[in-house]
Every structure is written in C-alpha cells, then in structure tokens.
Amino acid sequence: MTDKLGFKSRDWNSHPAYLSPDYKSTALRSPTKPLVPLAQSLSEITGPVYGHESVGPLDADLTRNAAAAGEPLGERIIVTGRVLDEDGRALPNTLIEVWQANAAGRYVHAADQHDAPLDPNFFGGGRCATNAEGWYSFKTIKPGAYPWGNHLNAWRPNHIHFSLFGPSFATRLITQMYFPGDPLLDLDPIFLATPQAARGRLVADFSLEATEPGVALGYRFDIVLRGRNETPMEN
Amino acid sequence: MTQKQTPSQTIGPFFAYGLTPEQYGYNLTSIAAPEVAKKDQEGERIRIEGQIFDGEGTAVGDAMVEIWQADAAGRYPHSADSRGSNADFTGFGRVGTGTDPEQRFFFETIKPGAAGDGQAPHINVIVFMRGMLNHAYTRIYFSDEVEANAADPVLAGIPDDRRGTLIAKRDDSSAGPVYRFNIHMQGADETVFFDL
Ligand SMILES: [Fe+3]
C-alpha cells in the first residue's frame, strides 16, 4: 500500500465538522475521537459501479414519474450541471440519486409528520446519470420549505438531496442543493455548519439557458468530487 | 482547472423512499439491496447484522449503511482491479435501519477473500444518518480470521483497546454463519472511523 495511490483527501476546509452544536442532532451522533488515517488500497480506489443502466425511462422526470391522475402541483424546474473532479475532469456515466419534498414542503416518507398536503401526483424520488462530458439533468417541482424540530421556529430552506458515487468508494458524496436568494439559508444550522468559504458551492445558480421556455425554470448546480493523486502508480 | 470539493451535507431523516425504496415499501425500484450475493454466488454465504448506537446508547432507527466488498477470491468488481471479478457480483449493499423492530441493519452476502495485498479479508462500510454532516467510513473484519487479522497493516495501526471495534463476531448457532457488528458513534466502545 502507498498513500500516493488513489484519490485526494477529503478537504476538511470544504466539509462541515461532524460536531456542529447549532445542529443539535450532531451532539450524540458525531464521532468524538479523531478519524484514523487510512492509506488507500484497492478497497478504497474501487467502488460500486452505477451509471445509465440504473436509470429507468421516467426516473429523471419527477413531474411524471408518479403522475397518477394528473400533474403535480408547484413550480416546474429543470436542474442541470456537471459532475467534475478537483482537476476539472468530467466524470462520465456516474449515477445521481435525488430526493426532495413536494411543493408544499412535505415528504412522501411515512415518518414526515409535517401538516402540509401530500400531492397524489408527486413522489419526490428520482435518478439520472452524467453523459460523456459529465452533464446531468432532471426535471422536477421546486421543493417547499418545511419546519423541523431543531429549535423554536426552525425551517429548512428549499433543498434537493443528492447522492453520488463517483469513480470509487473514496469519492462517495451525499449533499444538498439549495436555491439562490433563499432567506432561510442564513438561519439554517445545516447549511451554516459548512465552512463559510464553501457554502456558495451548495447554492444553485438560476440559469436562463437551462430554462425550458413556457415549461420550467432552469437551475445550474455543478458538483465536484475528490480528484486523483497525480503520482503515477509503479507498475 | 482546479475545482474545490462540493461540501457534504446530512442524509437527513427522509432518505428511505429515494435510496432504499423497496426495503421500506415505496414504489420505486432499488438500485441496491441488503442482499448482496445471489444464491449461486461462489463463496461462503454469511449474514452480517448489527445496531448503531448514539452517544446515549440508543439504537439509531434512521441510519443507512452501505457496504463494498471483494468476492470470495478477493477481487473487486471494478476496473481498477485488473484481476477482474465475476461480472454478476456487484459487491455493493445498502440497507436502512428503520424497518427492523430493533433498528438492526443486516446484509446477506458472501465472505470476501483476501485481496492479496497483505490485508486481512474485510468489508468496507459507510454510515450515514440524520445528525451526521459527513458520512463515516469504517471496516468489518472477521473474528475467525485470527492470523490474517494479526498481520493486517490497518489493524496494526490501531491502538489495542480500539481494534476490537472493527472485528465482527462469528456466531454459528443459527442456520448459517452470522457475524455481529455493532457500531458505536461515541462512548467507551466508540467505533474506529477512518479518514481515507
Ligand atoms: Fe430534507
């Protein structure tokens, strides 16, 4: 094993700390001992392989993938962007899984007790994969804000949950995409747990270019996964 | 052009219909399941089960666990492993802790072989949950691999009093072998988590 093999480290100037006291649930769920450094081996530089073959015909259109008796309510949007590594290399054919609340801020999940209506025509789960240049796109309904129990009058900003594998077990990422101009961002302990300089990377840009005229507003959200170490492997 | 990493955020409490839909009874096909190996997969069939405990010792019911492992010959089904593996074996499993009355996670799989790089047989694990802003990496080693574990360079680098948190205990009292592996986020038995 050699530490030159594989992928660049997690950049702890970009990621939130495990223990972020304003996000109360971290208190009992964050590791208290320092992480143990692990030299990357085949176990870490390989990883689950999921791409286009995992995406069903309607998976990338959340406005249609659960439409039963009509169309879901809310503002239709298109979310698009590129998945890159730290060296700006496109990551082709990598699966993205997304899940989100409906326009009223209610999740389909049985444990969501928020007193806002479910939408019989909206599920909120979907998938897409990147193309050869790293581009992905899916159509959905803009998710609503929802209250949560972290503190008195706490509301999550509008957001979409993203899950990506990338090329290895080391590049795994789960994150959230937020919307520009949301007044709740400055009040949200989950968003604010992110180092200040990195927060902007979680906020999509409005994109007229990605907008489908007469149908859906466009948002651009690029995602950067860990890059590769440059030192070539010996034999 | 140099880019900066997209920050991690928590998986939150409501991932199940998107990431583990079939396990939780939602109407979406799952890409992965707790059943990792098909019936005819070469190797010793094993079950792995355990609970995840928070800092108060309460079992966590809204976590997701993913595993990534080699096949019985120690080969990973991925292009970076030049030896090539059984194309049928994904090596990947995913389960939520919210469908078991005791908040257990479980996997039905095969015991991985040693990869041949000096490391003992092990399964690579990622833990996600509400209240965790970054996922946590750990590993499952096997209690019946005493010699291989003693020679494993990763285990060797871990203090004696914490090494045991990475070793699943084999139990042959059921129909098939079961390895029990509990994960403790905090406390005296806090699991070793890796920075990799
Ligand atoms: Fe959410």
Side-chain angles (χ1 to χ4, degrees), chain A:
Chain A
M1 287 191 296
T2 159
D3 57 7
K4 299 296 183 198
L5 186 70
F7 292 82
K8 293 191 165 99
S9 305
R10 275 199 271 190
D11 172 11
W12 292 109
N13 293 319
S14 292
H15 300 296
Y18 281 105
L19 179 61
S20 297
D22 288 345
Y23 175 20
K24 304 234 168 72
S25 300
T26 66
L28 292 175
R29 294 178 166 207
S30 49
T32 65
K33 297 187 163 70
L35 300 183
V36 174
L38 179 66
Q40 293 172 29
S41 66
L42 269 183
S43 296
E44 291 76 33
I45 67 168
T46 60
V49 181
Y50 289 98
H52 282 100
E53 75 294 334
S54 302
V55 181
L58 287 179
D59 283 358
D61 188 348
L62 284 71
T63 70
R64 291 172 64 211
N65 73 358
E71 294 193 56
L73 294 173
E75 186 183 339
R76 285 183 298 251
I77 61 171
I78 289 164
V79 179
T80 186
R82 293 184 79 197
V83 181
L84 306 164
D85 72 12
E86 286 172 89
D87 302 304
R89 277 184 289 245
L91 297 176
N93 198 30
T94 194
L95 183 70
I96 301 175
E97 298 170 274
V98 296
W99 70 102
Q100 62 165 89
N102 68 20
R106 176 78 186 265
Y107 285 93
V108 162
H109 195 291
D112 185 3
Q113 298 300 310
H114 177 33
D115 183 20
L118 285 167
D119 184 335
N121 296 306
F122 189 74
F123 180 65
R127 296 178 190 124
C128 57
T130 58
N131 69 12
E133 285 79 45
W135 284 94
Y136 73 89
S137 173
F138 62 93
K139 185 184 279 185
T140 186
I141 297 292
K142 188 174 181 185
Y146 59 84
W148 62 309
N150 190 70
H151 57 274
L152 188 66
N153 203 13
W155 292 77
R156 292 301 327 280
N158 305 348
H159 63 276
I160 299 176
H161 295 266
F162 278 64
S163 171
L164 298 91
F165 293 100
S168 76
F169 203 62
T171 54
R172 187 84 174 89
L173 178 72
I174 284 186
T175 189
Q176 301 181 28
M177 180 200 104
Y178 300 94
F179 290 84
D182 190 333
L184 293 171
L185 288 172
D186 288 339
L187 303 171
D188 179 48
I190 294 180
F191 178 71
L192 296 177
T194 310
Q196 187 162 19
R199 286 177 201 157
R201 288 174 234 153
L202 295 173
V203 183
D205 292 319
F206 169 70
S207 170
L208 192 63
E209 199 188 340
T211 295
E212 191 177 326
V215 179
L217 291 180
Y219 288 90
R220 170 87 185 259
F221 183 59
D222 289 350
I223 298 166
V224 179
L225 303 183
R226 291 162 61 173
R228 291 175 190 276
N229 276 324
E230 293 301 334
T231 312
M233 288 172 60
E234 304 283 330
N235 296 328

Side-chain angles (χ1 to χ4, degrees), chain B residues 177-191:
Chain B
V178 178
Y179 287 94
R180 299 190 201 285
F181 185 78
N182 289 333
I183 296 170
H184 296 264
M185 299 312 301
Q186 302 179 351
D189 300 323
E190 182 172 324
T191 299

Side-chain angles (χ1 to χ4, degrees), chain B residues 30-71:
Chain B
S30 292
I31 62 153
E35 294 81 25
V36 180
K38 295 192 178 117
K39 291 274 176 277
D40 56 351
Q41 178 64 38
E42 194 183 318
E44 183 188 19
R45 299 197 65 81
I46 63 170
R47 179 181 172 89
I48 294 167
E49 61 177 49
Q51 292 165 295
I52 303 175
F53 296 102
D54 71 11
E56 288 179 337
T58 303
V60 174
D62 56 5
M64 186 174 88
V65 182
E66 291 181 342
I67 61 168
W68 169 242
Q69 66 167 94
D71 66 15

